[in-house]
Amino acid sequence: MIARVIWLYVLVIFPFCFAQAKATKGAEDRGQSIAEKVYNRPTGKDSVGFAQMLIQPKSGSARKREFFMFQRRPKPNEIASLIRFLMPADVKDVGLLTLDDAGDESDQWIYLSASGGRIRRISSKRKDGSFVNSDIFFEDLRDREVKMDKHVFLGEESVNGVKLYKVESTPVKKDNSAYSKRVAWIHPESWVPIKMEAYKSGRKSPWKVTQVFKLEKVQGIWTVLDSETQNLVTGSKTRMVVKQVKYNLGLPESLFTQKVLEDPRREEKYRQL
């Protein structure tokens, strides 16, 4: 009798476990495929954009900032970017240079004009450091390759009548991200995340949520023109509105150096939009 019960258990439970493992593998494969399409979507060889940042704390007045952002992709999985603030006075000329190499290598330097024109390297340990007191972290401004996370397809959801793919991404190495996981809703036509929830270790609810309000094609490239990141713990919000952007301008490698970072005049000629 005991042997019969064990045999029935094998017949019933084992196929269920096998089917469950197969389904999990399928969800991982599809999640990986979607993540690769998001990462490899067309973004141009380089770009120049002029944008506004509106920081709204939970209480108090909003702070408005304007900046230029330059970006260059010299090789696959390599990105160089330079952000330069124009106003208000307390952040004028502040700049951030980010050099992302293939793999888990990323270097960041910030130029603080109010501190005597000093350049400071951003430690990799400061992934959750706030960039110019906004809800944007230094990690959010770095490249993150597909292989750095495990991606799982969670299903499809319709938002405002548009079908989106839902994917959960968890760091392969826990110490190389400020987030314990991310859940993104992907627009299947553009392969742009329309919404993303970011979680912190020890929290069941999201830490931050980012939503895209305006997505359009510019020079044939899908471009986020209006988005907002909200810190669900502090209640503060940071809105990013791109006013102008141009792609494939032939930006030189020499633009993305510490020498340019510490001297805003060296990049002024590339601000023409």
Side-chain angles (χ1 to χ4, degrees):
M1 180 66 181
I2 294 176
R4 187 180 178 186
V5 170
I6 293 174
W7 180 243
L8 286 173
Y9 176 86
V10 172
L11 287 176
V12 176
I13 301 301
F14 180 74
F16 171 76
C17 293
F18 179 77
Q20 192 174 44
K22 189 174 180 180
T24 300
K25 182 66 165 58
E28 291 177 356
D29 289 344
R30 192 169 183 189
Q32 176 77 13
S33 175
I34 292 172
E36 288 174 353
K37 289 177 180 178
V38 171
Y39 186 82
N40 294 319
R41 70 182 188 271
T43 55
K45 293 181 179 180
D46 59 45
S47 62
V48 178
F50 172 69
Q52 291 180 342
M53 175 188 286
L54 189 67
I55 303 172
Q56 177 63 66
K58 186 175 182 179
S59 59
S61 302
R63 302 189 299 276
K64 181 181 177 182
R65 293 171 177 174
E66 294 183 349
F67 63 94
F68 270 93
M69 182 170 182
F70 309 89
Q71 193 172 86
R72 183 174 183 266
R73 293 175 176 266
K75 297 178 183 178
N77 302 329
E78 290 187 12
I79 302 176
S81 66
L82 175 64
I83 296 174
R84 180 76 69 188
F85 284 89
L86 306 182
M87 59 82 71
D90 63 330
V91 294
K92 179 176 169 54
D93 292 337
V94 167
L96 180 72
L97 174 65
T98 303
L99 301 179
D100 288 302
D101 294 325
D104 196 9
E105 297 296 324
S106 180
D107 291 305
Q108 283 183 314
W109 298 268
I110 190 167
Y111 171 77
L112 302 170
S113 52
S115 301
R118 183 167 58 94
I119 289 180
R120 179 163 55 88
R121 191 177 187 280
I122 304 299
S123 170
S124 59
K125 296 180 180 180
R126 290 198 60 202
K127 298 179 181 68
D128 60 351
S130 172
F131 177 53
V132 292
N133 298 316
S134 72
D135 298 292
I136 309 299
F137 292 166
F138 287 112
E139 177 176 340
D140 300 327
L141 300 171
R142 295 174 177 173
D143 182 44
R144 190 165 185 86
E145 295 181 30
V146 176
K147 65 182 180 182
M148 295 170 70
D149 297 293
K150 176 182 176 182
H151 310 278
V152 179
F153 177 66
L154 300 181
E156 299 179 0
E157 289 187 9
S158 291
V159 178
N160 297 325
V162 179
K163 181 183 71 175
L164 303 176
Y165 296 147
K166 188 176 180 181
V167 175
E168 179 184 275
S169 301
T170 307
V172 174
K173 298 178 182 178
K174 293 183 179 180
D175 61 350
N176 79 349
S177 177
Y179 307 115
S180 59
K181 71 175 181 178
R182 299 175 176 86
V183 177
W185 285 256
I186 314 296
H187 182 239
E189 182 181 352
S190 63
W191 298 110
V192 172
I194 300 300
K195 177 184 176 182
M196 188 188 77
E197 292 178 344
Y199 291 74
K200 190 175 182 179
S201 181
R203 285 181 55 88
K204 293 183 178 180
S205 57
W207 183 16
K208 298 198 304 184
V209 60
T210 298
Q211 298 186 73
V212 172
F213 300 132
K214 188 176 182 180
L215 175 68
E216 291 184 0
K217 273 191 174 182
V218 178
Q219 295 176 234
I221 297 173
W222 285 104
T223 306
V224 174
L225 298 176
D226 187 358
S227 63
E228 182 181 81
T229 297
Q230 180 179 9
N231 187 315
L232 300 177
V233 177
T234 65
S236 62
K237 300 177 182 180
T238 298
R239 191 149 186 171
M240 304 276 278
V241 180
V242 177
K243 296 296 185 179
Q244 291 179 283
V245 62
K246 285 187 179 180
Y247 293 95
N248 301 322
L249 299 170
L251 299 179
E253 182 180 0
S254 58
L255 176 61
F256 303 91
T257 62
Q258 293 186 52
K259 184 176 291 186
V260 174
L261 177 63
E262 66 183 356
D263 187 356
R265 295 171 298 177
R266 291 177 179 267
E267 109 254 343
E268 287 181 353
K269 64 180 179 181
Y270 299 106
R271 299 178 185 177
Q272 304 304 316
L273 291 173

